[in-house]
Amino acid sequence: MSLLRVCAFTSKRLNTQLLFVDLSFAGCLRTASGAAKDKEPLRKAKTPQGRFDMDDEKPKDPLQKFPDDVNPATKEQGGPRGPEPTRYGDWERKGRCVDF
Amino acid sequence: MPKNSYLPWYFLPGTTHYYENVLLLNKHSDRQISQYPVVDHHFDAVVVGAGGAGLRAAFGLSEAGFNTACVTKLFPTRSHTVAAQGGINAALGNMEADDWRWHFYDTVKGSDWLGDQDAIHYMTEQAPASVVELENFGMPFSRTEDGKIYQRAFGGQSLKFGKGGQAHRCCCVADRTGHSLLHTLYGRSLRFDTSYFVEYFALDLLMEDGECKGVIAFCMEDGSIHRFRSKNTVIATGGYGRTYFSCTSAHTSTGDGNAMVTRAGLPCQDLEFVQFHPTGIYGAGCLITEGCRGEGGILINSEGERFMERYAPNAKDLASRDVVSRSMTIEIREGRGCGPEKDHVYLQLHHLPPQQLAVRLPGISETAMIFAGVEVTKEPIPVLPTVHYNMGGVPTNYKGQVITHVGGEDKVVPGLYACGEAACASVHGANRLGANSLLDLVVFGRACALTIAETGTPGEKLSPLKPNAGEESVANLDKIRFAEGTIRTSEIRLNMQKTMQNHAAVFRTGDLLKEGCDKMDAIYQSMEDIKTFDRGIVWNTDLVESLELQNLMLNAVQTIHSAEARKESRGAHAREDYQDRMDELDYAKPLAGQEKKSFDQHWRKHTLSTVDIKTGKVTLGYRPVIDRSLDQEECSAIPPAIRSY
């Protein structure tokens, strides 16, 4: 029984070692062909994870960030983006009232 | 092993042990209650709820050396505090010379003289220190050019006791103050040794001889029951917006703390004071800014009529919020509501040039599309009056200790504290001012921690608890889990929400409220006939929602009965049949020569409501408002006057 376990253990280690060798070998091939120097990002498969990486459909935020995050009118740094939230008496953001 | 790791309870060494109770048989079935494994934990302090107030209390206690447990049904950064995007008020004096006594005056006036002036004194005096403390914890407030915290004008704040013009007191973190506050407090709390029990639903308080000895909770992940025994319990469970059909609160705002206190036989205070906003999006609950009406948007009913012209001929749609809310409700009641159920009105913006909308109100088309599903330049937005905040809650003194009123005197309940929206200190009184509630969270969260540190010591021996304490809660849980009535939880909840929206919303008159009280009593009785489907014990959301519905129901009946009994209009509680405030003296006329009305004859008092759990009968009592500040020389109390802005 213990002999089997030892065999299994050793074979697992060999397996992982082989995998490692495999990967580094593939890496060598890529650098050799110059593919790694390519500026293009890797095309990922159309899996859900892959799809989220392509952000070409990101909507433009209607509230633009101030230059250096400083509001030019009030000189506030790190303040809310867009027009003054309290200009109508309540705290407004994107048409929603969040405090009044 | 650090106590603050998110290990399952059976891995925590030393503080837990498996304890097999012998509990009564559940009368409703032949199942044995001893089938529920109960684990006992011993802590120096337990905090129920991990929002802004709960986290501040929890790490304040841990910092003071107390072995603290934080029992929460949500992960701390998912609490509803995260949705508070407004600012936090403090008289720092960065924009102009400021004094916390002026902030005190504004808050007392805003509360319509129903706020306890000692608690308001405490809050406004501690405000600058609390904001500076938050900033030292790492909260990234927006800054002026000099590097001081930037303050803006907001929320009815004035200088020189109302005579010096607008005050700039509101500090913020870009547009995510509540989110940043919660994350800052959570990050800070991880420095200390608080034990977090996340996704544990607190069922009840363990009361013995009028003293609170801990909390019994139910682990949603594996269905085990946990008794957290402690000398100090802090309730910070938030508000109960979900009793109404339209509210801005999360689905988890179910007033669990108020219900736990009610079931313990203690009173809740001022539950009839609920803050509404006129234009909340139908279905979603997000509020549409008044700026829409300011820019020319109009409210129309099902006939396409601009109905505000009838109610406020001069101001029309720019009338004050309560006038607009009441007008909308009257239109809906008279059958001119829109939609298949005729229960809302429309806010029309498509008559305005789209360019103007995009420039003046950027982001509104996105908001309308996401939350209402309408194209704002073509269709109107469905809106109705929406609940935003609950001024009432568990009555406490200015130190955060829960009180009852016995024999005409306030009496502290030993071992029980409350802070945040769940508590009623009462700093907001009849109406909350904007940006004061975030301040309320941090100040009173800290106050609870300080009071516990003053009155107790870490490692104190716990008094003995009866071995079968908490069995009624487990019996109730079992009853709900195997409920086989005819009405589903969602149906009862919708009935309650619609009834509250129709009868206990902005528009309140005697007949409407009485009708609502009768309907609510019937709906409370219908809870006996509840039907649940999931019989499991692991992550049973049907069970948790039904327990939350029980909590909501207790809050709802107290709200509507208190509103029906209060025959005056004060702050957020406005009645058509009693439109004036009824104080002990008539403050509209000169005071000389007036006779003071007795306590029973005027309404400048707090409502204390208790419920008989079996019958649903609400009993009301009253306690006087505290009119003295903490130190008359430092800050004199403000005598009542007519509130006008």
Side-chain angles (χ1 to χ4, degrees), chain B residues 3 7-19 37-46 67-69 71 195-197 200 206 213-219 224-231 462 465:
Chain B
K3 277 192 232 135
L7 296 174
W9 54 267
Y10 33 84
F11 280 157
L12 292 172
T15 51
T16 69
H17 64 276
Y18 196 86
Y19 177 72
V38 178
V39 180
D40 274 2
H41 306 257
H42 299 79
F43 283 97
D44 294 328
V46 177
N67 187 10
T68 314
V71 177
S195 306
Y196 280 100
F197 291 88
Y200 279 64
L206 299 170
K213 296 198 175 175
V215 171
I216 181 165
F218 157 67
C219 176
S224 51
I225 310 288
H226 296 254
R227 298 194 308 192
F228 294 92
R229 291 184 53 194
S230 149
K231 240 179 166 258
L462 295 176
L465 184 68

Side-chain angles (χ1 to χ4, degrees), chain B residues 43 106 126 169 277 289 523 532 589 593:
Chain B
F43 283 97
D106 293 325
Q126 298 288 322
R169 257 179 221 137
H277 188 274
T289 176
I523 296 175
T532 49
K589 303 198 184 83

Side-chain angles (χ1 to χ4, degrees), chain A residues 76-77 87-88 93-94, chain B residues 142-143 175 295 360 367:
Chain A
E76 182 187 4
Q77 294 174 4
R87 62 194 189 285
Y88 294 115
R93 184 148 203 273
K94 289 191 180 170
Chain B
S142 62
R143 305 283 172 166
D175 43 39
E295 289 297 330
R360 298 287 184 82
T367 300

Side-chain angles (χ1 to χ4, degrees), chain B residues 46 94 98 177 254 276 297 425 509 535 562 609:
Chain B
V46 177
N94 288 340
D98 204 354
T177 312
T254 49
F276 284 85
T509 54
R535 302 284 179 240
S562 309
S609 47

Side-chain angles (χ1 to χ4, degrees), chain A residues 62-63 74-81 83-100, chain B residues 142-143 145 150 152-154 172 174-175 277 287-291 295 321 360 362-363 366-367 388 432 434-435:
Chain A
L63 296 179
T74 56
K75 306 281 182 288
E76 182 187 4
Q77 294 174 4
R81 291 191 232 167
E84 171 62 36
T86 54
R87 62 194 189 285
Y88 294 115
D90 56 7
W91 193 288
E92 175 268 340
R93 184 148 203 273
K94 289 191 180 170
R96 290 169 62 184
C97 163
V98 284
D99 201 3
F100 54 94
Chain B
S142 62
R143 305 283 172 166
E145 278 179 302
Y150 185 89
R152 50 178 28 84
F154 183 61
C172 73
D175 43 39
H277 188 274
L287 302 175
I288 292 281
T289 176
E290 288 164 54
E295 289 297 330
R321 277 194 291 273
R360 298 287 184 82
E366 189 188 76
T367 300
H388 184 64
R432 175 193 73 100

